Amino acid sequence: MDHSVQGDRHLRTDAERNRGRILVAARRLYSREGLHVPLARIAAEAQVGKATLNRRFPTRESLLTAVFAEQMERHAAAVAEALAFPDAWEGFIAYVEARCAMQAEGSDFADILTMTFPFAAALEDRRREAYEAYSLLVARAQRTGNLRADFRHEDIVLLFMANAGVVAATSHAAPDAWRRVARQFIRAFAGPGAPVPPLPEPPTRPQMFAAMQRAAPRP
């Protein structure tokens, strides 16, 4: 094999590996510390040089877009699908469960629709559109009387924060435990007499014990 071809492949592999490490590090730091984390911190977290980060992502906007664009589109699609339901309450339930499922699949920012992206104008515009659609979904569901009148956006953020903890603790021992958590919250959000979906079975005692062991702080 031509050594130059082999070298090119090796460089491409290294470049993709570095890109992946940068994105993982950026998600981790953005989740912990917010979007104003210096790029130098992200490079250090990813264990790459600042020049390497700059080659892959020459602007802060390009990095933010790479980290959030796909997730933002999935969230926007979940809201659009929910709004298409003939029954607004059923649409709201579908949205909650879709978002919780995203968390179960991997890293998810619980409050992405209420974050702001001052360094990424296109991403910020998309976030604003998705949030306005979500607000319309909530208003429609409340007008049916099935979503509590005192429901607030903070309530759903609390759900996603709680669900993130459940997913982290149970993903290996009881990977479907999040479904019961989502349904319990839906019941809490329901107004008097609202139809609610049935509860899935809870994790078994051995599954819960394994999850609790995993969640316990290490000595």
mmCIF file of all heavy atoms in Angstrom, residues 103-120:
data_model
loop_
_atom_site.group_PDB
_atom_site.id
_atom_site.type_symbol
_atom_site.label_atom_id
_atom_site.label_comp_id
_atom_site.label_asym_id
_atom_site.label_seq_id
_atom_site.Cartn_x
_atom_site.Cartn_y
_atom_site.Cartn_z
ATOM 1 N N GLN A 103 -33.192 11.445 27.069
ATOM 2 C CA GLN A 103 -32.262 11.380 28.192
ATOM 3 C C GLN A 103 -31.787 9.952 28.421
ATOM 4 O O GLN A 103 -30.628 9.722 28.747
ATOM 5 C CB GLN A 103 -32.922 11.918 29.458
ATOM 6 C CG GLN A 103 -33.105 13.418 29.467
ATOM 7 C CD GLN A 103 -33.646 13.904 30.788
ATOM 8 O OE1 GLN A 103 -34.743 13.520 31.187
ATOM 9 N NE2 GLN A 103 -32.910 14.750 31.466
ATOM 10 N N ALA A 104 -32.687 9.001 28.246
ATOM 11 C CA ALA A 104 -32.314 7.604 28.450
ATOM 12 C C ALA A 104 -31.324 7.123 27.399
ATOM 13 O O ALA A 104 -30.528 6.220 27.644
ATOM 14 C CB ALA A 104 -33.560 6.723 28.438
ATOM 15 N N GLU A 105 -31.354 7.759 26.228
ATOM 16 C CA GLU A 105 -30.466 7.358 25.135
ATOM 17 C C GLU A 105 -29.053 7.899 25.308
ATOM 18 O O GLU A 105 -28.107 7.361 24.740
ATOM 19 C CB GLU A 105 -31.019 7.866 23.799
ATOM 20 C CG GLU A 105 -32.311 7.189 23.384
ATOM 21 C CD GLU A 105 -32.985 7.918 22.247
ATOM 22 O OE1 GLU A 105 -32.350 8.835 21.667
ATOM 23 O OE2 GLU A 105 -34.150 7.596 21.942
ATOM 24 N N GLY A 106 -28.909 8.981 26.028
ATOM 25 C CA GLY A 106 -27.573 9.565 26.161
ATOM 26 C C GLY A 106 -27.626 10.936 26.794
ATOM 27 O O GLY A 106 -28.621 11.318 27.403
ATOM 28 N N SER A 107 -26.523 11.685 26.628
ATOM 29 C CA SER A 107 -26.418 13.004 27.249
ATOM 30 C C SER A 107 -27.506 13.935 26.744
ATOM 31 O O SER A 107 -27.778 14.018 25.562
ATOM 32 C CB SER A 107 -25.043 13.612 26.947
ATOM 33 O OG SER A 107 -24.944 14.902 27.479
ATOM 34 N N ASP A 108 -28.144 14.642 27.667
ATOM 35 C CA ASP A 108 -29.227 15.546 27.311
ATOM 36 C C ASP A 108 -29.221 16.720 28.274
ATOM 37 O O ASP A 108 -29.095 16.534 29.478
ATOM 38 C CB ASP A 108 -30.567 14.818 27.392
ATOM 39 C CG ASP A 108 -31.728 15.691 26.948
ATOM 40 O OD1 ASP A 108 -31.989 15.734 25.745
ATOM 41 O OD2 ASP A 108 -32.345 16.325 27.810
ATOM 42 N N PHE A 109 -29.355 17.921 27.729
ATOM 43 C CA PHE A 109 -29.424 19.107 28.573
ATOM 44 C C PHE A 109 -30.887 19.354 28.917
ATOM 45 O O PHE A 109 -31.697 19.644 28.048
ATOM 46 C CB PHE A 109 -28.842 20.320 27.839
ATOM 47 C CG PHE A 109 -27.353 20.292 27.767
ATOM 48 C CD1 PHE A 109 -26.714 19.453 26.867
ATOM 49 C CD2 PHE A 109 -26.580 21.076 28.598
ATOM 50 C CE1 PHE A 109 -25.333 19.412 26.792
ATOM 51 C CE2 PHE A 109 -25.197 21.042 28.531
ATOM 52 C CZ PHE A 109 -24.565 20.213 27.630
ATOM 53 N N ALA A 110 -31.212 19.209 30.190
ATOM 54 C CA ALA A 110 -32.611 19.245 30.612
ATOM 55 C C ALA A 110 -33.318 20.522 30.177
ATOM 56 O O ALA A 110 -34.477 20.500 29.808
ATOM 57 C CB ALA A 110 -32.698 19.093 32.131
ATOM 58 N N ASP A 111 -32.628 21.650 30.232
ATOM 59 C CA ASP A 111 -33.287 22.929 29.978
ATOM 60 C C ASP A 111 -32.807 23.574 28.688
ATOM 61 O O ASP A 111 -32.725 24.787 28.585
ATOM 62 C CB ASP A 111 -33.067 23.877 31.153
ATOM 63 C CG ASP A 111 -31.589 24.097 31.458
ATOM 64 O OD1 ASP A 111 -30.754 23.362 30.901
ATOM 65 O OD2 ASP A 111 -31.275 25.002 32.238
ATOM 66 N N ILE A 112 -32.532 22.760 27.659
ATOM 67 C CA ILE A 112 -31.961 23.311 26.429
ATOM 68 C C ILE A 112 -32.862 24.362 25.793
ATOM 69 O O ILE A 112 -32.382 25.322 25.197
ATOM 70 C CB ILE A 112 -31.631 22.184 25.412
ATOM 71 C CG1 ILE A 112 -30.825 22.747 24.236
ATOM 72 C CG2 ILE A 112 -32.894 21.475 24.939
ATOM 73 C CD1 ILE A 112 -30.280 21.689 23.314
ATOM 74 N N LEU A 113 -34.170 24.211 25.918
ATOM 75 C CA LEU A 113 -35.071 25.165 25.288
ATOM 76 C C LEU A 113 -35.096 26.509 26.003
ATOM 77 O O LEU A 113 -35.580 27.495 25.450
ATOM 78 C CB LEU A 113 -36.487 24.592 25.201
ATOM 79 C CG LEU A 113 -36.647 23.366 24.306
ATOM 80 C CD1 LEU A 113 -38.111 22.988 24.178
ATOM 81 C CD2 LEU A 113 -36.041 23.582 22.933
ATOM 82 N N THR A 114 -34.595 26.568 27.243
ATOM 83 C CA THR A 114 -34.547 27.844 27.953
ATOM 84 C C THR A 114 -33.130 28.378 28.080
ATOM 85 O O THR A 114 -32.908 29.430 28.667
ATOM 86 C CB THR A 114 -35.157 27.717 29.367
ATOM 87 O OG1 THR A 114 -34.454 26.707 30.087
ATOM 88 C CG2 THR A 114 -36.621 27.343 29.295
ATOM 89 N N MET A 115 -32.160 27.645 27.539
ATOM 90 C CA MET A 115 -30.801 28.182 27.487
ATOM 91 C C MET A 115 -30.754 29.279 26.435
ATOM 92 O O MET A 115 -31.656 29.413 25.599
ATOM 93 C CB MET A 115 -29.814 27.061 27.113
ATOM 94 C CG MET A 115 -29.741 25.940 28.123
ATOM 95 S SD MET A 115 -28.824 24.495 27.516
ATOM 96 C CE MET A 115 -27.141 25.134 27.537
ATOM 97 N N THR A 116 -29.724 30.106 26.465
ATOM 98 C CA THR A 116 -29.506 31.080 25.400
ATOM 99 C C THR A 116 -28.135 30.830 24.793
ATOM 100 O O THR A 116 -27.222 30.367 25.467
ATOM 101 C CB THR A 116 -29.584 32.527 25.927
ATOM 102 O OG1 THR A 116 -28.611 32.702 26.969
ATOM 103 C CG2 THR A 116 -30.974 32.838 26.459
ATOM 104 N N PHE A 117 -28.018 31.127 23.504
ATOM 105 C CA PHE A 117 -26.778 30.864 22.772
ATOM 106 C C PHE A 117 -26.281 32.167 22.142
ATOM 107 O O PHE A 117 -26.403 32.391 20.935
ATOM 108 C CB PHE A 117 -27.027 29.802 21.688
ATOM 109 C CG PHE A 117 -27.442 28.472 22.255
ATOM 110 C CD1 PHE A 117 -28.777 28.181 22.454
ATOM 111 C CD2 PHE A 117 -26.488 27.527 22.592
ATOM 112 C CE1 PHE A 117 -29.160 26.953 22.990
ATOM 113 C CE2 PHE A 117 -26.868 26.305 23.127
ATOM 114 C CZ PHE A 117 -28.198 26.022 23.321
ATOM 115 N N PRO A 118 -25.719 33.057 22.971
ATOM 116 C CA PRO A 118 -25.311 34.373 22.467
ATOM 117 C C PRO A 118 -24.189 34.304 21.444
ATOM 118 O O PRO A 118 -23.984 35.258 20.690
ATOM 119 C CB PRO A 118 -24.856 35.107 23.739
ATOM 120 C CG PRO A 118 -24.482 34.013 24.696
ATOM 121 C CD PRO A 118 -25.428 32.894 24.406
ATOM 122 N N PHE A 119 -23.452 33.183 21.406
ATOM 123 C CA PHE A 119 -22.333 33.068 20.464
ATOM 124 C C PHE A 119 -22.726 32.322 19.189
ATOM 125 O O PHE A 119 -21.873 32.103 18.320
ATOM 126 C CB PHE A 119 -21.161 32.329 21.124
ATOM 127 C CG PHE A 119 -20.772 32.893 22.462
ATOM 128 C CD1 PHE A 119 -20.974 32.174 23.622
ATOM 129 C CD2 PHE A 119 -20.226 34.162 22.568
ATOM 130 C CE1 PHE A 119 -20.632 32.690 24.859
ATOM 131 C CE2 PHE A 119 -19.878 34.696 23.797
ATOM 132 C CZ PHE A 119 -20.084 33.955 24.948
ATOM 133 N N ALA A 120 -23.997 31.919 19.066
ATOM 134 C CA ALA A 120 -24.427 31.119 17.910
ATOM 135 C C ALA A 120 -25.819 31.576 17.498
ATOM 136 O O ALA A 120 -26.828 31.063 17.977
ATOM 137 C CB ALA A 120 -24.410 29.638 18.260
#
